[in-house]
Amino acid sequence: MPDLCAPAPTVYDPEKREIIQLIAVPAFSDNYLWMVCKGNHAVVIDPGLAAPVQTILHQHNLTLDAILLTHHHHDHVGGVLELQHATQAIIYGPARETLPACDHRMSEGDSLSLPNVDLTLHVVDVPGHTAGHIAYHGALGSHKQPILFCGDTLFAAGCGRLFEGTPEQMLDSLNKLATLHSDTLVCCAHEYTLSNLEWALTVEPDNKALQNRWTAASQLRENAQPTLPSHLQLELDTNPFLRTSQVSVSTAAERYARQALNQPVSVFATLREWKNNF
Ligand SMILES: [Zn+2]
Ligand SMILES: [Zn+2]
């Protein structure tokens, strides 16, 4: 499948001698609609628009087996009805959100298997950005590459805004994601990386991993390439929202708040407010 719209990591499955592609399809100003494609089959995560997904399906003669949704925001579900009518794909989505259509309502502890694209996923509840937000994590291909589709919960060097949840909920949600395998590919739904890194560098200016990440991400964006997927270990090393217990981060948050912050959740809430005002 050459000439896809964005350079994508390719997972070669040596046992089956098949290529699985993970594609970040750009939409709107900064969304990525993630697609996993293998042979003549595809699945899409959070199709906020149908057209760019349809283009890839047609160009490569792919059948859309499933649509996975993380939360109810329009830029994540806007293309669902059009894709459903065109493809009869099965729709999986959060149990507790209002969606345009959904065949399987998913919540923490549920799993799904998409054998045509060699993807097995488990659901975790990650409230905070929205009240019923879910994330899907699991294994891709026969060598079980850990992978995470986290919608608007975790971003490269950032996290989602708290539209419907509390700092406690969001910190709990991020802590769940932080305990996944450190080799997990992190498929975030927006290209916010450079602005997040700019802020993260004001929180931790001496973090070498963060400085290196800024250089690498700037180069990718200069070449109009996505900075995603990220990698969980990279987030653990550079994302202030996953580093609330690091002294460098809590000290910076205390300086911003002009008071002592004794709990990780108060450090987290301060970081979120700082980023909102950055
Ligand atoms: Zn959202
Ligand atoms: Zn979004």
Side-chain angles (χ1 to χ4, degrees):
M1 283 184 286
D3 301 318
L4 291 169
C5 49
T10 298
V11 180
Y12 180 60
D13 184 334
E15 278 173 27
K16 296 178 185 164
R17 300 188 177 197
E18 284 204 75
I19 302 286
I20 303 174
Q21 280 196 310
L22 175 65
I23 308 164
V25 183
F28 307 113
S29 56
D30 51 33
N31 282 73
Y32 290 127
L33 322 180
W34 289 96
M35 292 183 76
V36 179
C37 307
K38 183 187 169 194
N40 288 104
H41 293 272
V43 304
V44 64
I45 294 89
D46 285 351
L49 268 183
V53 178
Q54 297 268 43
T55 300
I56 288 180
L57 295 175
H58 290 148
Q59 272 175 356
H60 305 286
N61 195 25
L62 299 168
T63 300
L64 188 67
D65 290 354
I67 298 170
L68 276 56
L69 307 175
T70 62
H71 68 294
H72 68 85
H73 285 162
H74 187 75
D75 62 313
H76 296 250
V77 304
V80 166
L81 288 179
E82 200 178 327
L83 286 173
Q84 184 191 37
H85 293 142
T87 67
Q88 284 90 48
I90 297 170
I91 304 167
Y92 299 84
R96 286 176 282 276
E97 302 223 329
T98 305
L99 302 168
C102 190
D103 299 304
H104 295 287
R105 292 285 181 168
M106 311 296 282
S107 57
E108 186 151 321
D110 290 337
S111 297
L112 65 141
S113 177
L114 301 161
N116 289 337
V117 295
D118 241 333
L119 184 61
T120 306
L121 293 170
H122 311 283
V123 174
V124 278
D125 291 331
V126 287
H129 176 69
T130 64
H133 200 305
I134 61 172
Y136 302 86
H137 71 91
L140 180 64
S142 63
H143 60 295
K144 312 265 181 249
Q145 167 62 51
I147 191 162
L148 168 68
F149 299 101
C150 50
D152 287 352
T153 296
L154 177 62
F155 292 124
C159 75
R161 284 176 184 262
L162 305 185
F163 289 123
E164 299 174 14
T166 64
E168 285 82 0
Q169 284 177 316
M170 190 60 150
L171 183 59
D172 272 359
S173 296
L174 291 172
N175 284 341
K176 286 182 195 175
L177 301 184
T179 59
L180 297 176
H181 196 293
S182 61
D183 189 32
T184 300
L185 290 177
V186 182
C187 302
C188 318
H190 290 270
E191 179 62 64
Y192 290 157
T193 310
L194 281 188
S195 62
N196 285 344
L197 285 172
E198 199 181 329
W199 168 75
L201 278 165
T202 67
V203 179
E204 282 192 288
D206 299 327
N207 181 333
K208 270 270 174 289
L210 197 47
Q211 294 164 1
N212 293 340
R213 189 176 193 184
W214 168 261
T215 306
S218 303
Q219 248 157 33
L220 285 168
R221 294 311 290 154
E222 271 166 32
N223 297 325
Q225 290 185 14
T227 59
L228 299 169
S230 179
H231 197 263
L232 188 55
Q233 187 60 55
L234 185 58
E235 295 310 319
L236 294 170
D237 291 341
T238 61
N239 188 328
F241 293 107
L242 299 185
R243 296 171 57 77
T244 49
S245 53
Q246 298 289 323
V247 175
S248 50
V249 174
S250 59
T251 307
E254 287 179 336
R255 215 166 33 237
Y256 180 83
R258 296 167 188 252
Q259 59 174 309
L261 303 169
N262 300 317
Q263 302 293 329
V265 70
S266 37
V267 174
F268 175 82
T270 300
L271 292 174
R272 190 56 267 180
E273 193 191 320
W274 185 354
K275 179 65 174 67
N276 290 349
N277 298 323
F278 185 70

